[in-house]
């Protein structure tokens, strides 16, 4: 019994390890099937190799994590003790030597050996892992089969052709192709341009969707010997195919524009096949910072951080910053051009780049009052260039801002307000210079006094926007309301607690643009006052300068400029004044002879009418002639937009060939004609009313009562 129990434990260990490896193998197989089905479309046969590699990788990872080969008899005994309560957690006594056991352990061992011999050969926990792994494998097989089926039928149903890149999937709504009976097979090789970085691809369909500048090679095989095979592009360009055998024909062409073509074998034309050309887009540039107009006020760092995002459909080749520094004013302005490059390598030609460049303005010899104009230019792998708008960065000239020029002129309507803000700036700079020589208490008191001055100036400008003044008049109003004789006076209560901002005089006092800038000025004053109250005059200085700059801009906007012109009136003739002679004054006559222009859409309109009447009668020779002319106009449009008009051209040709108008063909042609016609604009017209405004009708109705 002892040997039987020990043999049973060893057997359970082997099965435990084997089932662990089996569960890992099932999970790795499911992952391999999923990966192979996902990569089947772009890689075709190579997807099987990728699946095998993925199986080995996943199996290795799972085996390394779980390590079933490290399972010992002691580990298995602990697992058996947890799984089977009848062992009384004594299964480890079976694997110990008999000489090491005492009397009680020997008695317990003999009891446990009988229970171990009757244990099932498949532990339930391990079998649960195997069943779970098998279920996941079945689910992976179903998903893989579904993806393979969609990859095979989805492009045909939806008209999509895969380019090897999910971003380059192009929709094609062409009907199923019909080839000539002499054609045994076709193979098209599309070689994209080198700048796209895409490999050559092959297809077995005549419909072409290719990049602009791609080289297409046709290999057409026939089931019988033919004399000539020609490709007819847009009904007027011909390309003859050469042959090595009488049944093997080949030709090559560079695609630069969309359109359609037909295959001609011994003069017999095939169906219309679509050509779509995917054009290379210009590189897109998005400037995250700075803003288009940036002012660097006093106290701010004189530097510009440029953050730009570049993207292109095939890859970015290079990017540069073109900057121009403007120095001086008036007629003595000087310009200096500089080109900066980003600290990024474009050797990989990635499709997207996040670039950053910091420009130190002092290194460009920029001083207060100078301006920097710059734009970012990017170039893609097709040597196409695109650039942004010009961005402007200016350094505030504090000397000019604090000058008194123009403040005493007649055009200045409120000079003391501007001088007050200027004086606050001067006092703040003086306080910063004397900070180390005065005490802390004096420094805080002066900061608080400057904050009070800034508050008074802010309240003074707030009157122009209808802001209430902070004062003691509110207390007086409340005292008046508290009197007994004013109890229940609704007019006084409404007057005290209602904002009267909708007065006509207040509404027209300032223009909306001036109001917006004045609000921004008050906001800067409030920020400056806050820093002064917190005893931080250095942080308040930039807001004070910005408030002064906005105020000076408002001053300039308040000026009116009138151009001076010389007017020389004609000399007056006193003998003709007050005579009333109008014999030499004639009424103006304007005569124009114009011929009505021909309507270039007349043929399409007639064709639509003929198709509508074809429900009740057959087509005549005149009708066929009009439909042929309409087919020519639609063919011209199909050469530029084949995806929209090519179906209608094919349907119209079927109508002319069979002399029968099918409902589906009629609907398709009418939709194409409707898209070709310009949208008509309806003009307003007066409603038709009688001269008596309907009084007679109402009178007649009253008589009938």
């Amino acid at each position: 019994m002892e040997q039987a129990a020990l043999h049973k434990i060893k057997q359970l260990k082997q099965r435990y390890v084997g089932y662990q490896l089996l569960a890992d193998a099932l999970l790795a197989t499911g992952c391999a099937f999923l990966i192979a089905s996902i990569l089947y479309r772009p890689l075709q046969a190579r997807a099987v190799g990728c699946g095998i590699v993925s199986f080995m990788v996943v199996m290795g990872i799972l085996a390394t994590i779980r390590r079933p080969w490290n399972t010992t008899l002691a580990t298995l005994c602990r697992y058996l003790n947890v799984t089977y309560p009848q062992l009384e957690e004594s299964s480890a006594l079976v694997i110990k030597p008999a000489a090491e056991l005492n009397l009680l352990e020997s008695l317990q061992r003999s009891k446990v050996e009988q229970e171990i011999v009757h244990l099932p050969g498949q532990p339930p926990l391990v079998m649960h892992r195997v069943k779970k792994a098998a279920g996941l494998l079945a689910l992976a097989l179903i998903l893989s089969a579904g993806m393979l089926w969609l990859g095979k039928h989805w492009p045909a149903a939806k008209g999509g052709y895969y380019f090897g890149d999910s971003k380059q999937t192009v929709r094609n709504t062409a009907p199923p192709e019909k080839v000539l009976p002499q054609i045994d097979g076709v193979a098209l090789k599309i070689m994209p341009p080198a700048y796209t970085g895409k490999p050559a691809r092959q297809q077995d369909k005549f419909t072409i969707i290719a990049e602009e500048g791609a080289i297409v090679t046709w290999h057409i095989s026939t089931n019988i010997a033919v004399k000539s095979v020609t490709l007819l592009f847009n009904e007027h360009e011909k390309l003859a195919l050469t042959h090595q055998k009488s049944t093997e024909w080949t030709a090559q062409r560079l695609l630069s524009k969309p359109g359609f073509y037909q295959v001609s074998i011994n003069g017999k034309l095939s169906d219309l096949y679509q050509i779509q050309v995917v054009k290379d887009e210009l590189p897109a540039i998005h400037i995250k910072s700075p803003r288009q107009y940036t002012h660097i006020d006093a106290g701010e760092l004189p530097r510009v951080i440029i953050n730009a995002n570049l993207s292109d459909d095939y890859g970015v080749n290079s990017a540069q910053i073109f900057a121009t520094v403007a120095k001086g004013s008036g007629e003595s302005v000087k310009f200096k051009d500089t080109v900066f490059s980003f600290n990024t390598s474009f050797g990989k030609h990635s499709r997207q780049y996040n670039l950053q460049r910091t420009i130190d303005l002092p290194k460009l010899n920029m001083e207060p009052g100078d301006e920097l104009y710059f734009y970012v230019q990017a170039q893609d792998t097709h040597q196409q260039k695109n650039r942004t708008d010009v961005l402007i960065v200016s350094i505030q000239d504090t000397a000019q801002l604090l000058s008194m020029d123009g403040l005493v002129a007649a055009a200045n309507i409120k000079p003391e307000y501007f001088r007050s803000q200027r004086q606050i700036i001067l006092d703040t700079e003086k306080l910063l210079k004397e900070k180390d020589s005065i005490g802390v208490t004096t420094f805080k008191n002066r900061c608080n006094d400057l904050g009070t001055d800034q508050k008074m100036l802010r309240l003074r400008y707030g009157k122009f926007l209808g802001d209430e003044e902070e004062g003691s008049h509110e207390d007086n109003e409340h005292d008046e309301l508290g009197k007994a004789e004013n109890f229940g006076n609704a007019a006084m209560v409404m007057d005290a607690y209602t904002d009267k901002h909708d007065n006509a005089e207040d509404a027209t006092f300032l223009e909306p643009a001036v109001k917006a800038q004045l609000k921004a000025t008050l906001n800067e004053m409030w920020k400056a006052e806050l820093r002064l109250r917190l005893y931080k005059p250095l942080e308040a200085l930039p807001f004070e300068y910005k408030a002064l700059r906005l105020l000076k801009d408002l001053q300039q906007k308040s000026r009116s400029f009138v151009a001076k012109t010389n007017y020389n009136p004609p000399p007056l003739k006193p003998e003709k004044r007050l005579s009333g002679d109008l014999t030499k004054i004639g009424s103006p006559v304007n005569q124009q002879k114009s011929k009505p222009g021909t309507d270039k859409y007349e043929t399409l309109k007639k064709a639509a009418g003929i198709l509508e009447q074809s429900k009740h009668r057959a087509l005549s020779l005149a009708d066929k002639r009009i439909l042929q002319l309409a087919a020519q106009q639609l063919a011209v449009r199909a050469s530029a937009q084949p995806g929209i008009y090519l179906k209608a051209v094919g349907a119209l040709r079927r109508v002319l060939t069979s002399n029968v108008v099918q409902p589906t063909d009629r609907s398709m042609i009418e939709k194409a004609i409707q898209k070709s016609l310009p949208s008509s604009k309806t003009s307003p017209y007066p409603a038709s009313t009688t001269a008596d405004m309907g009084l007679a009708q109402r009178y007649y109705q009253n008589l009938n009562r």
Side-chain angles (χ1 to χ4, degrees):
M1 183 65 67
E2 177 182 354
Q3 296 297 329
L6 184 59
H7 178 71
K8 185 63 176 290
I9 290 178
K10 292 181 179 180
Q11 185 181 7
L12 289 176
K13 173 191 173 183
Q14 294 177 358
R15 292 185 179 181
Y16 182 84
V17 175
Y19 285 140
Q20 287 278 17
L21 294 175
L22 178 60
D24 295 342
L26 293 177
L27 289 176
T29 305
C31 295
F33 272 105
L34 285 176
I35 294 175
S37 59
I38 292 173
L39 300 178
Y40 178 74
R41 289 182 66 186
L43 300 181
Q44 297 296 330
R46 290 179 291 176
V48 179
C50 294
I52 296 174
V53 174
S54 62
F55 169 80
M56 298 174 62
V57 172
V58 176
M59 185 65 185
I61 293 174
L62 293 177
T64 304
I65 294 175
R66 297 182 179 178
R67 296 182 179 180
W69 54 82
N70 290 339
T71 304
T72 60
L73 293 178
T75 304
L76 183 62
C77 289
R78 287 194 296 269
Y79 165 71
L80 294 177
N81 292 334
V82 175
T83 307
Y84 302 103
Q86 62 269 27
L87 298 180
E88 299 179 355
E89 298 185 358
S90 302
S91 60
L93 298 175
V94 179
I95 62 176
K96 286 186 178 182
E100 298 180 1
L101 302 177
N102 54 28
L103 179 60
L104 293 177
E105 290 177 344
S106 300
L107 294 175
Q108 183 68 13
R109 175 178 178 175
S110 60
K111 181 181 178 181
V112 171
E113 286 176 349
Q114 296 178 1
E115 297 293 339
I116 291 177
V117 172
H118 296 89
L119 291 179
Q122 298 176 349
L125 180 60
V126 180
M127 290 305 300
H128 176 70
R129 290 182 180 177
V130 174
K131 292 179 181 179
K132 186 177 180 180
L136 294 176
L137 174 60
L139 179 61
L141 291 176
I142 294 173
L143 292 177
S144 301
M147 284 188 289
L148 291 176
W149 183 86
L150 287 176
K152 183 177 180 181
H153 295 84
W154 186 265
K158 296 296 182 181
Y161 288 88
Y162 190 75
F163 272 11
D165 187 356
S166 60
K167 294 183 179 180
Q168 298 295 334
T169 302
V170 182
R171 298 294 300 274
N172 178 22
T173 57
E177 295 183 351
K178 296 180 181 179
V179 298
L180 294 173
Q182 294 86 358
I183 297 178
D184 185 42
V186 60
L188 268 69
K189 182 180 180 182
I190 302 176
M191 178 66 72
Y195 68 86
T196 61
K198 293 184 176 181
R201 59 185 182 275
Q202 293 185 354
Q203 65 181 40
D204 57 353
K205 294 181 179 294
F206 282 103
T207 302
I208 301 174
I209 302 178
E211 298 83 358
E212 184 179 12
I215 299 176
V216 181
T217 305
W218 287 265
H219 295 279
I220 300 177
S221 59
T222 58
N223 48 22
I224 59 174
V226 296
K227 295 182 179 179
S228 64
V229 179
T230 308
L231 300 179
L232 180 61
F233 294 91
N234 299 330
E235 295 188 338
H236 64 276
E237 297 181 17
K238 292 184 179 181
L239 177 62
L241 277 74
T242 60
H243 63 92
Q244 299 176 352
K245 301 179 182 179
S246 59
T247 58
E248 298 292 336
W249 301 80
T250 181
Q252 193 176 77
R253 182 183 176 90
L254 177 68
L255 296 183
S256 58
K257 59 182 179 179
F260 60 92
Y261 73 103
Q262 295 173 276
V263 181
S264 174
I265 298 181
N266 293 338
K268 186 177 181 181
L269 293 175
S270 68
D271 200 0
L272 299 174
Y273 302 122
Q274 181 179 347
I275 300 177
Q276 285 192 9
V277 174
V278 181
K279 293 189 176 183
D280 182 17
E281 301 292 338
L282 292 174
I285 309 173
H286 174 64
I287 301 296
K288 299 179 181 178
S289 65
R291 294 172 296 179
Q292 189 168 6
Y293 298 97
T294 304
H295 294 278
I296 299 179
D297 295 318
E300 297 182 0
L301 293 177
R303 65 176 56 176
V304 180
I305 300 177
I306 302 174
N307 290 316
N309 179 267
L310 276 63
S311 61
D312 188 72
D313 45 1
Y314 296 123
V316 181
N317 189 27
S318 64
Q320 291 178 323
I321 303 173
F322 293 86
T324 301
V325 178
K327 299 176 68 66
S329 61
E331 298 180 356
S332 61
V333 178
K334 297 180 180 180
F335 299 95
K336 181 180 179 181
D337 297 333
T338 309
V339 180
F340 299 96
S341 60
F342 291 97
N343 299 326
T344 303
S345 176
F346 297 91
K348 296 182 179 180
H349 303 301
S350 300
R351 296 184 178 181
Q352 190 170 6
Y353 287 93
N354 290 317
L355 307 177
Q356 183 175 354
R357 176 63 190 263
T358 302
I359 300 178
D360 291 331
L361 302 184
K363 292 183 179 180
L364 299 178
N365 296 326
M366 290 188 62
E367 299 175 351
D370 297 345
E371 293 182 339
L372 175 68
Y373 307 90
F374 71 93
Y375 62 89
V376 179
Q377 179 175 289
Q379 180 177 335
D380 61 4
T381 54
H382 195 201
Q383 307 303 319
Q384 295 184 128
K385 295 181 180 180
N386 193 14
R387 49 169 288 183
T388 62
D389 295 334
V390 176
L391 288 83
I392 303 175
V393 179
S394 61
I395 302 178
Q396 186 64 55
D397 188 1
T398 57
Q400 183 179 3
L401 190 63
L402 295 175
S403 65
M404 299 291 295
D405 296 340
L407 295 179
V408 296
N412 183 16
I413 56 177
K414 292 175 287 296
E416 66 278 5
Y417 295 168
F418 299 107
R419 283 200 297 271
S420 299
Q421 183 63 30
R422 173 179 172 273
Q423 189 62 43
I424 290 174
I425 296 175
L426 294 176
D427 293 343
T428 304
E429 292 179 345
K430 182 179 179 182
L431 177 61
L432 290 174
K433 292 180 181 179
E434 300 175 355
K435 179 180 179 181
D436 298 333
S437 60
I438 61 178
V440 178
T441 304
T442 306
F443 175 76
K444 292 183 177 180
N445 291 335
R446 291 177 62 177
C447 284
N448 195 26
D449 294 340
L450 287 175
T452 303
D453 295 340
Q454 187 69 79
K455 172 188 173 182
M456 298 303 298
L457 185 62
R458 175 174 58 84
L459 293 177
R460 189 182 302 173
Y461 279 104
K463 293 180 180 179
F464 296 101
L465 296 177
D467 294 344
E468 291 81 1
E469 183 177 2
E470 299 179 8
S472 61
H473 67 282
E474 296 182 357
D475 298 335
N476 297 331
E477 292 179 357
H478 291 312
D479 294 340
E480 292 294 330
L481 288 174
K483 294 181 180 180
E485 59 270 16
N486 295 329
F487 181 77
N489 192 343
M492 182 175 292
V493 174
M494 294 294 293
D495 183 69
Y497 292 99
T498 304
D499 291 335
K500 298 179 285 297
H501 291 274
D502 53 350
N503 295 336
E505 296 180 358
D506 295 340
T508 58
F509 191 80
L510 295 174
E511 296 181 357
V514 177
K515 279 187 176 182
Q517 188 167 350
L518 190 55
K519 287 181 180 179
T521 306
L522 296 180
N523 188 25
E524 299 299 326
M525 289 183 178
W526 166 248
K527 293 178 181 179
E529 179 187 349
L530 176 62
R531 270 70 178 180
L532 291 172
R533 297 290 189 182
L534 296 176
Y535 312 117
K536 298 178 181 180
L538 183 61
E539 297 181 6
L541 198 58
F543 300 105
E544 295 175 359
Y545 271 110
K546 191 171 183 180
L548 181 58
R549 177 168 54 82
L550 293 174
L551 289 175
K552 280 210 167 185
D553 291 343
L554 284 174
Q555 177 193 13
Q556 295 296 328
K557 290 181 180 179
S558 64
R559 296 182 178 181
S560 300
F561 299 92
V562 180
K564 295 182 179 180
T565 57
N566 295 326
Y567 175 67
N568 296 322
L572 298 178
K573 296 182 179 180
E575 63 274 10
K576 288 188 176 183
R577 288 179 59 81
L578 304 177
S579 63
D581 185 9
L582 303 178
T583 55
K584 295 184 179 180
I585 300 178
S587 59
V589 178
N590 185 12
Q591 295 181 356
Q592 294 182 354
K593 295 181 180 180
S594 60
K595 296 181 179 180
T598 58
D599 188 3
K600 60 180 179 179
Y601 301 103
E602 183 179 1
T603 303
L604 295 177
K605 295 177 182 178
K606 290 182 179 179
I610 293 172
L611 292 174
E612 189 65 27
Q613 296 175 2
S614 63
K615 301 178 182 179
H616 310 288
R617 62 179 180 85
L619 298 177
S620 62
L621 294 178
D623 296 340
K624 289 184 178 180
R625 177 59 182 168
I626 294 176
L627 292 179
Q628 287 178 355
L629 296 176
Q632 294 177 2
Q633 293 188 12
L634 291 179
V636 174
R637 294 181 176 273
S639 62
Q641 297 176 320
I644 300 177
Y645 298 101
L646 193 58
K647 284 184 178 181
V649 174
L652 197 52
R653 290 187 176 183
R654 287 195 297 271
V655 171
L656 294 173
T657 303
S658 61
N659 200 18
V660 177
V661 182
Q662 299 293 338
T664 56
D665 294 340
R666 181 188 299 110
S667 176
M668 194 181 303
I669 298 170
E670 288 178 349
K671 288 181 180 179
I673 293 177
Q674 187 68 26
K675 292 179 180 178
S676 303
L677 298 178
S679 58
S680 59
K681 297 181 180 179
T682 57
S683 302
Y685 59 93
S688 58
T689 57
T690 57
D692 57 355
M693 304 297 290
L695 292 176
Q697 182 67 21
R698 290 197 295 272
Y699 178 73
Y700 179 73
Q701 292 176 357
N702 292 328
L703 287 179
N704 291 335
R705 293 178 182 177

